[in-house]
Amino acid sequence: MMSQKSILKLLTVFLLIGIVSCKSKEKKEVVVVKKELPAKRPNIIFMMSDDHAYQAISAYSNHLIETPNIDRIADEGIKFTNACVSNSICAPSRATILTGKHCHIHGKVDNVFPFDESQTTFPQLMQQAGYKTAMFGKLHFGNNPKGVDEFKILPGQGRYYNPIFNTNDGQITVEGYVTDIIMDMTLEWLEKNKDDEQPFMLFSMQKAPHREWLPAPRHFKEYTKKTFVEPETLFDDYEGRGTAAKTAEMNLLKHMNWAGDAKIYPELMAELGLKDESGWDLEAFEREVGAMNAEQRAVWDSVYRPVMEDFKAKYSEMDDKELMKWRYQRYMQDYLGCIASVDENVGRLLDYMEDSGLDENTMVIYTSDQGFYLGEHGWFDKRFVYDESFKTPLLIKWPNVIEPGITNTEMVQNLDFAQTILEAAQIEAPSDMQGESLIPLLLGNQEEWTREAVYYHYYEYPGIHMVKRHYAIITQEYKLAHFYYDVDEWELYDRKNDPQEMKNVVNDPAYADVVVKLKKQLAELREQYGDSSELDQEILRKYLEAQNNPDIETVPLH
């Protein structure tokens, strides 16, 4: 006779057999359903700030600042962690965004060369397809943007206080702080057009946090009292890097302006014997601080004069290391103070969208025209293919289309924005656009994404900050760059094992196969995009001719 224990074991076996049998009978073929775009064309809002480093968005890292409103876009949509630019400098990046083409095609290779006006921009195509279009804020090149029904854009760099705007009806000056004003214009336009059945394409493009970094009073009162964590590489000596890193003029101590950047009053500069090394330091201070009205200037002086008096008392005892630390803190106080107002105004827009119900059928994009150095490697500015300037924030939300809270690591680029927006609007992109639509990644159709590497090319040398000409190929794992013209140097960085890019391993035998493979892929990319050594030399020749021509403005807007 079987024991109770044996009976229980036998029953367990029968039960397991039954479960397996049921599962095998219920097994069905899994069918992957491709997610499609909605039938109704969306509204699209494209928000872009100038020089907004991804390190200064808390969705990426909160070691410097909290940006709860910008983070809302990431929380409600998708965050790209390998978004990047094709040329890390303002006007060329913006021209690439508008045309979907590399700089050597649209002509705006730097801040000196003109944009090829024969190029088609994606707002033109959207306007032709029935979209209402508007642009407010900073464009940086041209005073009459193509394909835009209504515009109010800053001439050149614009200024932080009481800015001038070029409009459809002529030039105007608006009292106040530029970041608030640009959002006021954006919201006013939305309020006027919210009930229209016609879809819209709206550009809200902030000047901040571009140099010279003047925060609003509500923020400089707060941020001048803050202390920020220093980057590990603040005192980088560039050992293990090439000539380009060692000769660039972007050092916080040596190359940042005293008046325009650190806000030291010109009379204090003279008293302390601090020189205007750039030749436009005092001019920059007068252009920005001098634009304030009496009331604004009084508030500014009430906060900044005590800061400068404190510096004056300490200056004679400070060595270079202490000066570098002081300069870093001053830089971060003003730069991050500017971002605080950007974040507040993003919140104003998102709140308005929700309150009005416009958010339900609107794609919202937040990005920057490139990245920026926040003291990493001792630097400010951008231009290099190294990550801090090469990578850019990219956050997109689109209710009921993009799953909330997604993070994507693919190599996406500002080159892709035009085709992405056109596909979202159900408009066929011209065959000569060079990007790749991000729509498959937004919909979760990852298998449709084909790109593994992006192409980068920087041209503006010799020039401000003296970052040498270079082109590069970048994958998720590696970065191979060729610096040319007055040098002929290659650099390879292992992005996974050396994220701070401290060691050039191009001559390391362990990476020999990687170098061979990437050089071949780089040559293929250059051919694919219509770039070449011959074109490099032709662009260089024209640039040097322009520098030697007294009738051509050759000093780029910094």
Side-chain angles (χ1 to χ4, degrees):
M1 188 174 180
M2 295 177 68
S3 67
Q4 188 175 6
K5 191 173 182 180
S6 299
I7 293 171
L8 287 173
K9 281 185 177 180
L10 191 59
L11 286 172
T12 300
V13 171
F14 287 146
L15 182 60
L16 289 171
I17 291 172
I19 291 172
V20 172
S21 175
C22 288
K23 282 189 174 180
S24 63
K25 288 178 183 177
E26 292 173 3
K27 188 177 180 182
K28 296 179 181 178
E29 184 179 352
V30 177
V31 178
V32 177
V33 179
K34 178 184 173 185
K35 194 171 180 182
E36 302 285 351
L37 289 173
K40 186 177 181 181
R41 296 195 296 175
N43 304 310
I44 299 167
I45 296 178
F46 185 85
M47 287 189 286
M48 182 165 72
S49 296
D50 194 308
D51 293 343
H52 192 170
Y54 65 91
Q55 314 94 286
I57 294 178
S58 49
Y60 290 94
S61 172
N62 64 355
H63 74 289
L64 288 173
I65 190 172
E66 294 288 342
T67 53
N69 295 297
I70 297 173
D71 292 358
R72 284 164 62 184
I73 304 174
D75 294 340
E76 297 170 19
I78 186 169
K79 173 179 69 177
F80 289 90
T81 58
N82 263 317
C84 60
V85 297
S86 62
N87 183 358
S88 185
I89 186 170
C90 297
S93 174
R94 292 158 188 269
T96 291
I97 288 169
L98 289 173
T99 62
K101 297 175 185 177
H102 277 285
C103 296
H104 60 277
I105 302 295
H106 61 61
K108 196 76 183 133
V109 296
D110 52 35
N111 284 340
V112 177
F113 272 70
F115 175 65
D116 178 0
E117 292 291 343
S118 70
Q119 293 290 324
T120 299
T121 66
F122 79 83
Q124 289 177 277
L125 301 175
M126 299 189 77
Q127 189 182 53
Q128 293 165 13
Y131 267 76
K132 186 175 293 187
T133 57
M135 180 181 291
F136 305 106
K138 180 181 175 182
L139 177 60
H140 195 167
F141 67 95
N143 293 326
N144 190 4
K146 298 193 296 182
V148 178
D149 301 325
E150 183 176 342
F151 64 87
K152 294 184 175 94
I153 58 174
L154 299 162
Q157 295 290 358
R159 63 193 188 202
Y160 278 99
Y161 283 82
N162 309 323
I164 297 168
F165 289 87
N166 295 319
T167 78
N168 303 69
D169 301 318
Q171 200 168 82
I172 61 173
T173 301
V174 185
E175 290 282 306
Y177 186 66
V178 68
T179 308
D180 301 333
I181 293 167
I182 290 169
M183 189 53 67
D184 289 344
M185 292 172 172
T186 300
L187 296 177
E188 181 182 357
W189 188 90
L190 281 171
E191 180 66 19
K192 185 172 65 176
N193 292 277
K194 68 179 180 181
D195 297 322
D196 198 329
E197 286 301 308
Q198 184 181 7
F200 62 76
M201 172 75 231
L202 173 60
F203 296 86
S204 186
M205 300 164 67
Q206 294 292 353
K207 167 188 171 59
H210 193 277
R211 195 179 185 186
E212 276 73 18
W213 316 299
L214 274 69
R218 62 187 183 274
H219 294 126
F220 65 62
K221 290 176 182 178
E222 174 188 0
Y223 276 75
T224 50
K225 295 178 175 63
K226 287 180 176 281
T227 300
F228 299 94
V229 62
E230 295 174 358
E232 293 179 18
T233 58
L234 181 62
F235 295 96
D236 194 349
D237 62 4
Y238 315 114
E239 186 66 29
R241 264 64 53 79
T243 304
K246 294 168 184 171
T247 57
E249 297 179 356
M250 307 194 313
N251 185 269
L252 292 175
L253 178 60
K254 298 175 183 177
H255 306 119
M256 185 175 275
N257 284 336
W258 290 105
D261 293 335
K263 313 306 185 299
I264 293 178
Y265 289 78
E267 60 270 24
L268 180 57
M269 277 184 63
E271 183 179 346
L272 298 179
L274 301 172
K275 300 188 184 311
D276 179 349
E277 299 288 356
S278 68
W280 41 263
D281 186 2
L282 301 179
E283 173 195 335
F285 184 91
E286 178 55 33
R287 182 184 65 245
E288 292 291 347
V289 180
M292 296 176 181
N293 60 35
E295 182 181 355
Q296 292 163 342
R297 182 60 186 265
V299 177
W300 176 273
D301 287 342
S302 71
V303 173
Y304 279 87
R305 281 209 181 276
V307 172
M308 297 312 147
E309 287 300 321
D310 179 71
F311 174 71
K312 176 182 173 181
K314 297 176 180 176
Y315 176 69
S316 63
E317 302 298 323
M318 297 171 77
D319 60 20
D320 282 353
K321 184 175 183 179
E322 290 168 326
L323 272 175
M324 182 72 150
K325 287 173 171 285
W326 184 88
R327 301 217 66 173
Y328 170 74
Q329 295 300 332
R330 275 278 50 251
Y331 173 30
M332 287 299 93
Q333 288 165 357
D334 288 346
Y335 177 93
L336 297 172
C338 290
I339 287 175
S341 64
V342 172
D343 186 67
E344 284 180 352
N345 281 288
V346 169
R348 289 177 64 199
L349 176 63
L350 296 179
D351 289 346
Y352 177 86
M353 298 295 292
E354 291 175 7
D355 293 343
S356 64
L358 276 174
D359 64 316
E360 287 302 313
N361 188 40
T362 301
M363 171 194 277
V364 176
I365 301 168
Y366 185 87
T367 190
S368 172
D369 51 359
Q370 62 261 322
F372 213 67
Y373 290 100
L374 305 184
E376 300 91 356
H377 308 291
W379 288 335
F380 67 105
D381 207 69
K382 56 248 182 182
R383 301 165 196 268
F384 272 116
V385 74
Y386 307 139
D387 268 6
E388 289 83 3
S389 58
F390 165 71
K391 287 173 63 174
T392 189
L394 178 59
L395 310 169
I396 307 175
K397 83 181 193 77
W398 189 358
N400 306 311
V401 177
I402 300 174
E403 292 293 329
I406 297 173
T407 296
N408 186 281
T409 63
E410 296 291 350
M411 299 300 303
V412 305
Q413 204 165 27
N414 60 351
L415 186 72
D416 305 324
F417 294 174
Q419 282 161 276
T420 302
I421 292 170
L422 288 174
E423 184 173 354
Q426 302 172 31
I427 301 168
E428 185 175 353
S431 59
D432 62 348
M433 282 189 172
Q434 296 180 305
E436 184 171 345
S437 171
L438 306 180
I439 292 297
L441 302 180
L442 303 187
L443 296 178
N445 301 326
Q446 190 82 18
E447 68 283 351
E448 295 181 23
W449 184 255
T450 60
R451 179 193 292 146
E452 293 183 356
V454 295
Y455 180 61
Y456 180 91
H457 201 151
Y458 175 78
Y459 299 88
E460 195 173 279
Y461 176 87
I464 187 170
H465 298 304
M466 297 300 283
V467 172
K468 294 186 182 297
R469 292 170 181 253
H470 59 290
Y471 54 84
I473 180 172
I474 306 93
T475 69
Q476 291 192 47
E477 293 79 22
Y478 300 106
K479 180 179 297 180
L480 179 72
H482 181 215
F483 291 84
Y484 68 96
Y485 171 40
D486 58 346
V487 293
D488 180 12
E489 296 179 3
W490 289 85
E491 296 183 12
L492 174 69
Y493 295 95
D494 186 327
R495 301 185 72 207
K496 298 291 187 182
N497 295 312
D498 180 22
Q500 293 183 324
E501 298 171 314
M502 299 294 286
K503 186 179 181 183
N504 173 19
V505 293
V506 74
N507 294 317
D508 186 332
Y511 291 88
D513 291 343
V514 173
V515 172
V516 170
K517 179 182 177 181
L518 287 177
K519 282 188 175 181
K520 180 176 182 295
Q521 290 178 329
L522 177 56
E524 292 168 352
L525 274 184
R526 277 166 67 78
E527 183 176 1
Q528 173 188 331
Y529 291 127
D531 206 0
S532 65
S533 297
E534 292 75 20
L535 188 54
D536 297 345
Q537 294 305 310
E538 176 64 13
I539 291 171
L540 173 61
R541 181 185 65 77
K542 290 180 178 179
Y543 181 84
L544 295 176
E545 284 180 359
Q547 283 201 320
N548 294 322
N549 186 340
D551 297 324
I552 298 177
E553 175 62 54
T554 60
V555 179
L557 292 169
H558 52 281

